[in-house]
Amino acid sequence: MHKPLKTYTVVLLSAMMLSQPLANSIYAAPTGASTAAVFTLDKLGSIALKNNVNVKLIDMDILEQPSGNILIYTLSYSNSSTNSVAYVDYFSRVTTTGGTVIQGKPVTRDVTKKNIPPQSSQIVTYYVNIGESTKLNGTKVTLLKWDFSSQDYQKKLGVFSIPASYSVVVPQGQSKKLTLDNLQVDIKAESMQRLKRNGKVYMRVGVSYTNLGKKVLSNSTYIAYLRSAGGSVFELKQEDASSSFNVQSQEKKTIYYLTEVPSYMKTEHMILQFAQEDEALKIMLPVKSFKLPSVTTSDFAVANYAVKKISIKNNTVETQLKSASVYSENDFAKWNLQFRLKNLGNKPVTLPAYELTVKAAEGLSIPVDSKALANIILKPLEEKIVSLSADVPLTLNQGTLKLEWTEPAVDDKVVFPTALYNIPYALEYNNLMGQEYMVENRYGKFMVKLGSYQRLPWDDGDQIVTNISIRNTGLTSVQLPSLKAIVKAGMSDLSSTAQIVTTNSQTSLAPNETKEIFVIAKVPYSYSFNQLKIVLQDTSGDEVTKFLSMYSNSLNNVIHTIAAGESHHMNSLGKKAEVRERRTTTYNSNKSNLIYTELEMISEEPRQSKQAQLVAYYKTPDNQFFNAMVSQSTTPTSPNGKKLVAIWSKLPQGVDTSQLVLYIGEGVADGKLTDLGGTSTGFINSVKLALTPKAVISQNNLISVDLFPYNLSVANAVGYITEERDTLDIAVNYSLSEQEDFEAGAYEHKLVLELIDPYGQSMEKTLVMGTDLPMGKNKSYTTSFNSNLYNKLRGGSFRINLYDEFQGHRVLLGSQSYPITYKTSELRKPNGSGSTGN
């Protein structure tokens, strides 16, 4: 608040260090300035007190106060004699322009000065209360001594008369050398700005201090005031009142002061005045006044991407808006801002709880999510990167926004921005597939790449999978945080379905080392979008902060095609394998067809390992997808070991299975690759295999029946009819072998033996390889079929059909006819080594 000067309180404005009063009034004009004559007090000469003892008037000033304006004047005493001179013999009086005569009294700091030692000089400052008088022009300072031979016991020694041309104010553009804390300091009023904030008007005064001494200048009990040409006085407060300033030896530093003023106040011919309280006298004493430069109107916003130094508890912190980007979503512009902070001091710094807002040209203030700034501690020379975000209505001008940092208000402190940054307008960068982009955050510097984007079916919807690689470009190893994904596709937020998947547990990145992650989210299959935004957030601490952000509006659903007969190499660490189609065929039935594919998986790991759990879909040319079941062994595989993977799906009869393509990927769950036999919640690294479907050709004999990995060879078979019995006994001589190069999951194929008797009747037996049909060569299998028609049968032949049955669907593998032998009742039934079924 602006306030006329009614009361005074001591305020620590660490802008100055004045342990002594003013030295000689010497003004230093700027280079090239006019050299027009200015009256100075040294032109008044000196007054002799006695032989070899003289006094000069070296400074005067007035400070207006409600209880009476205080005039100070400073006398410099010079004693060239060989004897000490007592002050008690001399005194001085001030005669105002109105004729009032007041005797001067020394200020408290000079009260103890009683004598002027021989061959020395001393400076003493006196004060008088001159009431409402405000002018020095025409004021007189009279020097007197006690003389008891005179009628009134006083003798006038001389008068210093202040001419009309004298001004106590340091001219504009010139500096004043003062002795502050025993240091020579050159002070200059550099600038004055008129600022508007939240409907209020502030004046911002810049004052430079050049420390000409040999030690640091710090700590001050001086108060600054702004005086208008109309006589209004406003107390100025240091812009960063939370910390004092230090001016190093030979350093020049500009300190800024602020005060609120009425919006209607004229700003021409304004004066900056410093004052100090004399605590013993309980009055304010003027120190020095400066004429201020013409006012300028400015928002003092930091230029685009420029560095801004701020002071926090005597430490300098370098701030910089490193990047700004925006994209639109619904009715808002979504801004992402990245800041760099560096502590240039020699002590740790805790950032204040800054309040951040985006300022629009239309006058609105939009809050900023500044959680990333909370409780940040910067060690000496430490640098950190923080990310901020704000949602700005699209109706506002996005090209003129500014970001304001403000400390919370404390007591009656003038709340003014610590810093104001221009926000350059830049649309969020479109991350092209396969291209690296630089990202800098609190963990380090990285090159990130959107390696691939895939959209594929999942259950009754779709899944989208993005592959992101993160490469450490720093010089030291980086410990990556625990990450969470925010996924937005078009206008839809898919974050609730998102999961981050890594194919290894690596969390530390050495210099130039790369880590790949996959971000998976679910989306309705009918939902179309052409923009995808992924934000990876650091969730390792108490607060969630952004690690990186990627945006793309050039999505290209790339699914690599493996040509028919070619191999696909899976490269996930610890699960490297070659995959190729072994065979694809179709099983038919009256209601549906079943597509069936066998894949060979050959381990490419140098150690025993568990292969990836596959997920698969069949796709038609018209983009119909059919979920596929996958059966594979759950046991570890040795180097170069082979596994057989069975994949199948039931299809409507109208689907042309000759045009199908098989999509396969590595299953994932709980942020990692699915354990073999586990349930997957998504899949990554998908490819499409071009298939070569082949129909199973039924053999016209059973000499070699292929039921991979088994091979059955029927050497012969014979049927027996026994007199007076209704049983047809069958004996089959066979050999059964298994190809042992492959391991497979549960064997779900069934061998169905169908018998067609001479009457055309069909009867079946389901045989289990290795159990009903033991493995080996020259084995025998027997079984029987009953029918009351067989009592009349005396010979003929029967046919055996062998089927491969899978999931209730069959294909005929082979068929062959064999003779029936009639036996009388006294003949014994032939013995067989196989089991007998009924």
Side-chain angles (χ1 to χ4, degrees), residues 211-232:
N211 183 0
L212 304 177
K214 295 184 178 180
K215 64 178 183 179
V216 178
L217 174 65
S218 59
N219 298 331
S220 173
T221 57
Y222 279 75
I223 301 174
Y225 295 99
L226 180 68
R227 189 170 73 234
S228 71
S232 298

Side-chain angles (χ1 to χ4, degrees), residues 60-99:
M60 296 189 78
D61 208 340
I62 292 178
L63 181 64
E64 298 180 23
Q65 302 184 51
S67 58
N69 300 332
I70 299 298
L71 179 146
I72 65 166
Y73 58 97
T74 301
L75 300 177
S76 177
Y77 297 89
S78 177
N79 180 9
S80 301
S81 69
T82 58
N83 300 312
S84 179
V85 177
Y87 284 118
V88 70
D89 295 332
Y90 303 94
F91 58 96
S92 57
R93 290 174 178 161
V94 172
T95 303
T96 68
T97 54

Side-chain angles (χ1 to χ4, degrees), residues 272-293:
L272 165 69
Q273 187 169 34
F274 288 106
Q276 184 182 36
E277 184 182 38
D278 189 318
E279 294 183 359
L281 299 173
K282 299 190 182 306
I283 60 173
M284 297 297 295
L285 301 175
V287 175
K288 182 49 59 183
S289 300
F290 296 82
K291 186 175 182 181
L292 287 165

Side-chain angles (χ1 to χ4, degrees), residues 291-470:
K291 186 175 182 181
L292 287 165
S294 298
V295 68
T296 60
T297 301
S298 171
D299 58 9
F300 67 96
V302 181
N304 294 356
Y305 306 120
V307 171
K308 164 73 173 178
K309 293 181 180 178
I310 61 177
S311 179
I312 302 175
K313 297 188 181 303
N314 299 325
N315 274 28
T316 299
V317 174
E318 192 173 82
T319 69
Q320 182 186 18
L321 177 58
K322 289 276 292 181
S323 66
S325 62
V326 63
Y327 69 97
S328 63
E329 184 176 289
N330 299 323
D331 297 328
F332 290 93
K334 312 284 281 188
W335 280 94
N336 292 299
L337 310 173
Q338 191 176 63
F339 262 85
R340 180 180 67 87
L341 304 168
K342 184 176 183 180
N343 180 8
L344 301 181
N346 55 9
K347 297 179 181 178
V349 170
T350 300
L351 260 64
Y354 288 113
E355 296 175 358
L356 272 60
T357 53
V358 170
K359 298 292 184 180
E362 293 82 353
L364 297 180
S365 297
I366 295 93
V368 173
D369 183 356
S370 56
K371 292 179 182 177
L373 281 177
N375 303 317
I376 282 185
I377 299 177
L378 292 172
K379 299 175 183 177
L381 302 182
E382 184 179 14
E383 182 174 293
K384 287 188 177 181
I385 302 295
V386 296
S387 297
L388 310 171
S389 61
D391 294 347
V392 180
L394 286 174
T395 54
L396 301 180
N397 186 345
Q398 305 297 315
T400 58
L401 300 177
K402 293 178 176 18
L403 178 68
E404 182 178 275
W405 289 35
T406 307
E407 288 191 43
V410 178
D411 300 327
D412 61 346
K413 173 186 172 184
V414 176
V415 180
F416 208 82
T418 300
L420 190 68
Y421 304 85
N422 281 337
I423 301 178
Y425 181 77
L427 290 174
E428 186 162 32
Y429 203 80
N430 183 29
N431 297 112
L432 301 177
M433 296 285 182
Q435 185 170 329
E436 283 192 318
Y437 300 87
M438 188 182 75
V439 167
E440 188 174 0
N441 54 38
R442 60 189 292 188
Y443 292 93
K445 295 180 179 179
F446 307 92
M447 295 300 290
V448 300
K449 178 174 65 176
L450 188 61
S452 64
Y453 165 81
Q454 293 183 332
R455 179 171 180 172
L456 286 171
W458 182 260
D459 291 337
D460 59 351
D462 282 353
Q463 71 162 13
I464 56 175
V465 182
T466 53
N467 167 237
I468 299 174
S469 63
I470 304 171

